[in-house]
Structures are given as structure tokens and as C-alpha cells.
Amino acid sequence: MIDTRRLRTLRAVADHGTVTAAAAALHLTPSAVSQQLVALEHEVGHRLFTRDGRGVHLTAVGKIMLGHANEVLAQLERAKAEVAAYATGEAGEVTVACFATAIGAVLSPAIAALRATSPGLHVRVLDAEGDHSLAMLLDGEADLAVTVEYRGAPDAADRRLSRLPLYAEPFDLVLPHDHPLASEATLTSLASETWIGPYPGNPVHDVITFACQQAGFTPNLAHCSDDFRAVVALVGAGAGVALVPRLALRDMALTGVAVRRTPGPERRVFAAVRRGSDAHPLLRPLLSALRTIGRSLDAG
């Protein structure tokens, strides 16, 4: 019989690419992870991984087993959801990994709404950028992730996840208030400017870079911050120009800057849970509240 704990180990190693990283995610020692893999290979009767330097790669049989592992683990999530539903599941804690703008835009309003409809539901919030929250979800550190489409993200067909689209958010140009193009700037007209934006690795960095490349230039990102308040403050100081998600600007003091709405990029925000757990009675009301808030943002 194949131990499901070893299937989780298999998936963690496949997700993280190294035994050490998988061990950290699973809160095990690297030797314990290696032992789990050896035991699983013995149970299956085939090698599942090959080593390449520090990394490991799935063999053909390993890929087959990973596919089945995803199905088995999803079914276990469904079982947990049904058991919880049977036991009413009216009270408990849900951990949500969510990036800062969405905490303010959708998660906080959803939590406020749930106080009246689901008073026994406690939501624990972890501030995490979009490219980190899905890893936290898959590693079991979070029950739900609110994240964005980004290069390298699991797609809608990923069998590990169930996704719920929430809203699409446009980006606005932010310029110093005395900039010559403050009232008529377009993305193309700012090709030669100094740019301010998030660090590489942040999903917003990819959106901005791709949008500029589509406009015919590569932005000179001279100043980097993942905090949009800091980005806008630098623009106000005359350090450069920026593309900033519109909702990040909503409650911000826009001192010394001009905001220009132009056709351009947008980021698509979605909620994700581990596949099979979307029927969990603690997740259902939260997902419903997030969907309702997200629709209002799209409509606005």
C-alpha cells in the first residue's frame, strides 16, 4: 500500500525542485524526505527521481505517479470537506495568503461582511506577494490564496488547484505633477523616462515590463520598491514615472503627482484553494464573499 504522506513528499519535491527546499516546506529534515522518497520508490518498484547537481527531476514513472498523487490528494481534500460539512463546520479558522492591495480591496470587506453571516468563521491573514501565496497554499501554510496571473504561475488546468476569478485591475500612469506630459502622457511617450517599480520576481514587475515592451521599449527601472506608497512618493519627488495598479492608488495621498488613465495593462486577480477543498464549509462562505466583492470592483 502506498502511504499518502509519501505522495505529499513526492509533490513537494516536484514543486520545489530540491530535497532541502521540500523539507523546509514540509517541516521535515532533508534526510527524512530522502527516506520517504526511497520508501515510495520501493513501494512503486521504479525510480521516481534523478539527481542533477543539487536538484532532482522526475523520471517518466515519477511524472505518472505525480499525476496520480495530485488526484489522490485532491480526493482526500474532498473527504475532509465532506466530513467537515457533516459536522456542520460553522466555526473554525481559515488562513489566507493575500497580497497587500487585495487585502484592502477584497479580503477586508469580505471579512467584515462575514461577521454578520458567519460569525464563527475566523480568518487569519498572511501578507504575501502573488508569487509566494500559491506556494504557501500548496505547502499547506494557507488554506486559500488571493493572487494574480503571472509568468510561471500554475494555469487554470493545474490539477492541484481550484480557481475563482475575482476582478481585473487596470494600471494607471503616475507622473510628477509638473511633468510636461502630465495631462497627456501615453506609455509610448514615456519610453525615455526613468521608471520606478517593483523588484524583479514581483508579478507586477513582469506586467509593467511586458506592457512597456509591447509599447516598443524596455523601461529603465532605476528605482525599485514593492511598496506602492514608496513608488508614488518617489514619483512625487521627481525621481521618475511609474505604472501603478489602480486600487493601490485608491486611498493614497497623491501629493505632488498626476495620475493618467490610459489604455494599458491590467492584472487579473483570482482566489485559489487546493483542489477538492472548495466545498469545505469554512471556505465556501469566504469564497462567496470574495466573489461578491470582486464583482463589485469589476463593475466599478
Side-chain angles (χ1 to χ4, degrees):
M1 177 180 292
I2 295 176
D3 190 327
T4 56
R5 292 173 298 177
R6 292 169 187 158
L7 294 180
R8 293 187 189 278
T9 303
L10 169 70
R11 185 161 81 178
V13 175
D15 284 345
H16 293 279
T18 69
V19 168
T20 301
L26 295 170
H27 305 291
L28 298 172
T29 64
S31 62
V33 169
S34 294
Q35 290 170 12
Q36 293 267 24
L37 295 178
V38 170
L40 181 59
E41 288 181 328
H42 179 73
E43 289 172 340
V44 174
H46 293 273
R47 292 192 64 186
L48 303 177
F49 291 93
T50 59
R51 293 186 176 274
D52 179 14
R54 295 184 179 180
V56 291
H57 301 280
L58 289 171
T59 63
V61 174
K63 292 177 182 178
I64 292 171
M65 285 302 303
L66 179 62
H68 287 290
N70 287 332
E71 293 296 330
V72 169
L73 295 175
Q75 188 60 43
L76 288 175
E77 293 285 356
R78 292 188 192 98
K80 287 165 57 180
E82 289 184 16
V83 170
Y86 182 79
T88 74
E90 294 180 355
E93 182 178 87
V94 172
T95 299
V96 181
C98 181
F99 62 97
T101 302
I103 289 175
V106 288
L107 183 55
S108 293
I111 292 172
L114 288 169
R115 285 183 178 176
T117 58
S118 301
L121 173 58
H122 175 65
V123 180
R124 175 173 172 253
V125 180
L126 302 177
D127 187 344
E129 289 298 335
D131 55 335
H132 294 151
S133 59
L134 286 179
M136 295 169 69
L137 174 66
L138 290 170
D139 288 340
E141 297 177 49
D143 303 302
L144 185 150
V146 177
T147 185
V148 298
E149 300 284 1
Y150 62 92
R151 182 172 52 193
D155 61 26
D158 193 296
R159 293 188 293 175
R160 299 170 298 173
L161 302 171
S162 293
R163 296 163 40 130
L164 175 69
L166 296 179
Y167 62 91
E169 178 181 13
F171 283 64
D172 291 331
L173 287 168
V174 183
L175 304 87
H177 72 94
D178 57 355
H179 193 284
L181 297 175
S183 63
E184 57 184 8
T186 64
L187 199 53
T188 303
S189 69
L190 299 175
S192 62
E193 296 286 336
T194 297
W195 284 78
I196 307 162
Y199 283 98
N202 186 313
V204 174
H205 179 277
D206 288 346
V207 172
I208 294 171
T209 301
F210 182 72
C212 291
Q213 290 172 343
Q214 290 292 98
F217 69 97
T218 298
N220 172 26
L221 279 165
H223 310 288
C224 291
S225 174
D226 289 333
D227 184 334
F228 291 119
R229 292 185 182 276
V231 170
V232 171
L234 286 169
V235 173
V241 300
L243 269 172
V244 178
R246 184 169 297 169
L247 290 175
L249 297 169
R250 185 170 61 176
D251 299 319
M252 199 181 296
L254 300 174
T255 305
V257 303
V259 177
R260 174 92 174 139
R261 293 190 174 189
T262 61
E266 63 180 15
R267 62 175 174 179
R268 298 190 175 276
V269 180
F270 64 93
V273 296
R274 291 183 295 276
R275 187 180 175 200
S277 69
D278 44 328
H280 194 291
L282 292 177
L283 288 174
R284 279 201 313 266
L286 179 55
L287 287 168
S288 178
L290 288 171
R291 180 172 54 239
T292 299
I293 301 297
R295 284 174 177 171
S296 71
L297 293 175
D298 262 339

